Amino acid sequence: MKHFLVMLLALCGMYINAQTVTVVDRLTREPLVGAGVVAYPKTPLFTNSKGKADITTLKDKDSIFITFSNYKLQMVSYTQLQKMKFIVELEELNISLSEVVISANRIKEDKLETPNRIQKINMKEVAFQNPQTTADLLGTGGYAFIQKSQLGGGSPMLRGMATNRVLLVVDGVRMNNAIFRAGNLQTVISLDANALEGTEILFGPGSVMYGSDAIGGVMSFNTLEPKFCDTTTKITVQGNALMRTSTANSENTRHLNFNIGLKKWAFVTSYTRGEYGDLRAGSVGGDAHFYRPNYVQTIANKDYMVPNNDSTLQVGSKYSQNNFMQKVRFKPNKNWEIDYGFHFSETSPYNRYDRLYVMQTQGPYKNKLRWAEWYYGPQVWKMHRLGVIHSKKNSAYDHLRVTMAMQDFEESRYDREFMVRELRMQKETVKALSLNVDLDKQISEKLTVCYGLELVQNKVGSTASLTHVITKEVDSTVTRYPNGSIWQSYGAYASLKYKLHKNLIVSSGIRWSAYRIEAAFDTLIFPFPFTRATMRNQTLNGSLGLVYTPHRTWQMYLNVATGFRAPNIDDMGKVFESTPGYLLVPNPNLKPEHAYNAEIGTVKTFGNFLKADVAGYYTLLKNAMERKDFTFNGQSTIRYQGNKSNIQAVQNVAQAYVYGLQAGLEFNWKGFGIRGAYSWQQGKEQSPDSLIYYPLRHAAPAFGSAHFTYQHKKMKFDFYTIYNSRMDYEELALTERVNTSYARDFTKDPKGQAYTDSWYTLNFKAAFFLNQYVVVMAGVENISDILYRPYGSGISASGRNIIAALKARF
């Protein structure tokens, strides 16, 4: 008993004498995990999952350095720590060039060593801005222009390219699939903005590392990573909860994520439910035809066009969405790591809003709305992902990463014209399998190489039916794509980075890619001139870049690169009424389109208070795939769904180019900040018929943002403006000038010609960090309640929108 009491007293003495320091973010009060506590010649200490470190051994030290990546270094003595109650507040360095990026070479590397413009979106800023969807998240960065055909949408435009000419990547897996179309897409909203840990935009061709579609850029998303417990504990449990509401569309969002960390196992779970009502547009200025004057109601099996009593309310734009994610991480030893992730996203059915206000110009229902119904069924995305990492230097590699994924995509379309009794349904599924093997090897202090391979297979399912809305009888009809078609892609790449001098780095890369399409066509329903089509091709592309850093505060870079887009099932095999009176039919004779890009840029910081960057680029697109008049079975017209339509097909008939400028500015001084982003682009594309150059469709008008911020103690404020310049009739793409279905997407001048008006909004956001666990956020978007419609969009942006959110950390 005596020995036991002695041991107990000794343990108590150790506990009493032990002293810990807590390192937190000065503004948010959140603990900084992995912060360094250094007092030479002692071994560096690092904070645990609670931001704490045991500094008992540092009691006699006068110089203790507290460090954390992208935070201002702080030096204190032990006596000062006592006065600070052993709580150290570090200030984040918003002005810095020291960033780690992944998207350039699929590995972590210093952004200063990459000859590309890469925007690493600040996820703390994202949380502060409270975007509703991932499309809105991309827009917060200021360099991606977002088009919307409906509230449940968001199609990013990068440097005059969009849809299937830009690439989406999540956790290293490509999301682009065989039915990505040239028309605007909404796939990006399948990703949960609240479950992302990092987002990067690589501008310009990224085909060396990512293959097909990476012409305008690559948007790389990294979801929450499971985190192990630290060496001082056996298990850690932490998480976040969010509640948010906004007035413009009666938003009701609820989110929860939590992490369980053990020594060798870690788990993270995330769930988000978002409900969005009909969106209310602004009421000041703008063009009156952006209002919704009427809509269709079906009563007793009859369609009626009824007036909208509140024309600012965009009736029929509401939808909801569920997102779930579960990830598991296992690290059996220091060399091996295995992780598995399951992702699930599903929307409710939602209307394609830009079709709901198209008017009929002829026939018995002239001056009536054309569509009684036009909506998408639930958009579903599932992904199973398994990753294996081996980190051990040998003759072949330093790091080996194997990524296997299986994705399931589902989308459907339902449409019925006014007073027509049959509802058409077209449903598509894609089962996408992929394998990526990526290796990197540092051969010497000067030379690093990366190499790998990629295998992708997509199987497309496509069904269609006509259902009589009264009798419920179901008939078959032509499918959107050939059912059971296969799209395959194979690629191998190699890249190197060589330090010619301590301030000069050259990077180069090369990729070989091949693809194959197999499709069978059903001639019983549609008069295809063939029953089977096979397409094979291959391509070679490369990149060369130079980085010069005369100082750690200044980077200059130059790069040239090629990119490509291989034809997919949507290009080759689709049957689709692209616009009223024009039917798109299959063409099995397509070849890849190729892009040639040159870029020059620089970024410079001045002390810890100013950062400026600018980049200029030029991209030439050859062998571009465009819609053009076509003959089918020797005919140039065909009857489709009872209407006579001109026949068109996607063909390699055009050339396009785009050039532009991107610039940014950041300033911070004693809590005050200014941040600006600006993008200007000009593009031309050949008309498929005359080969005369007209403005490029996805080259958005000049746009940008300017933020004026202030941070003090536990508060943060942001007053900012977002703006979009005017595009006159002569600056619009040819299809936007002549296509009557776009008529209400644009303002009209006195001559009746379409144009996109300039606009700007004034906005205000605020956050109050009550403690390290709770933050209250609020804001007002579009304070002036301006009525406007962003370029290319089929739905007006929200009017005055009041946001309130509560976030808790545990």
Side-chain angles (χ1 to χ4, degrees), residues 124-138:
K124 288 184 179 179
E125 182 65 20
V126 168
F128 174 69
Q129 293 295 336
N130 275 295
Q132 292 186 350
T133 68
T134 302
D136 299 329
L137 178 154
L138 290 170

Side-chain angles (χ1 to χ4, degrees), residues 600-632:
I600 186 170
T602 184
V603 56
K604 179 77 171 73
T605 61
F606 302 87
N608 292 326
F609 64 92
L610 182 63
K611 176 181 176 182
D613 68 273
V614 64
Y617 61 90
Y618 178 90
T619 304
L620 174 65
L621 187 66
K622 285 192 169 185
N623 228 19
M625 290 179 270
E626 301 288 348
R627 297 171 185 171
K628 184 183 178 182
D629 291 343
F630 193 67
T631 57
F632 205 65

Side-chain angles (χ1 to χ4, degrees), residues 488-492 511-517 535-541 564-567 590-594 623:
Q488 295 174 330
S489 173
Y490 319 93
R511 181 188 182 101
W512 169 84
S513 300
Y515 71 90
R516 173 178 170 269
I517 294 178
M535 189 185 299
R536 290 186 177 89
N537 217 317
Q538 56 185 333
T539 186
L540 193 69
N541 61 283
F564 77 99
R565 186 174 76 82
L590 292 172
K591 296 180 180 180
E593 55 186 21
H594 293 272
N623 228 19

Side-chain angles (χ1 to χ4, degrees), residues 241-259:
L242 170 72
M243 296 186 296
R244 184 176 62 234
T245 184
S246 58
T247 58
N249 59 1
S250 303
E251 177 197 10
N252 183 7
T253 293
R254 301 291 184 267
H255 168 76
L256 174 68
N257 71 68
F258 59 90
N259 183 98

Side-chain angles (χ1 to χ4, degrees), residues 355-486:
R355 292 297 176 98
L356 297 185
Y357 51 71
V358 175
M359 303 297 293
Q360 300 193 53
T361 58
Q362 58 186 2
Y365 299 109
K366 182 179 179 181
N367 297 324
K368 296 288 187 181
L369 291 167
R370 180 182 177 188
W371 300 101
E373 301 177 80
W374 209 122
Y375 62 93
Y376 291 103
Q379 176 175 294
V380 181
W381 173 63
K382 303 174 188 175
M383 181 172 77
H384 298 270
R385 178 193 176 279
L386 180 65
V388 179
I389 300 175
H390 182 231
S391 301
K392 187 175 183 180
K393 293 184 178 182
N394 55 55
S395 59
Y397 59 83
D398 295 339
H399 303 93
L400 164 69
R401 293 169 298 281
V402 179
T403 305
M404 296 166 281
M406 180 176 71
Q407 299 180 81
D408 289 289
F409 299 86
E410 180 183 313
E411 60 183 52
S412 54
R413 296 162 177 80
Y414 296 79
D415 61 73
R416 181 176 65 84
E417 293 191 357
F418 191 83
M419 290 305 293
V420 171
R421 291 291 176 256
E422 288 182 318
L423 176 68
R424 181 178 64 156
M425 182 278 293
Q426 291 181 312
K427 182 177 181 180
E428 284 72 51
T429 60
V430 179
K431 183 174 289 293
L433 304 176
S434 63
L435 169 67
N436 289 84
V437 180
D438 301 290
L439 308 95
D440 64 86
K441 175 67 179 176
Q442 184 175 355
I443 296 176
S444 67
E445 289 185 2
K446 293 185 175 182
L447 179 62
T448 301
V449 296
C450 301
Y451 59 100
L453 58 87
E454 179 182 60
L455 307 176
V456 178
Q457 175 174 293
N458 286 187
K459 184 174 183 180
V460 177
S462 188
T463 57
S465 65
L466 290 173
T467 301
H468 197 283
V469 294
I470 298 177
T471 66
K472 304 304 178 183
E473 293 181 1
V474 179
D475 291 324
S476 57
T477 187
V478 62
T479 59
R480 184 177 174 91
Y481 303 112
N483 188 36
S485 51
I486 300 291

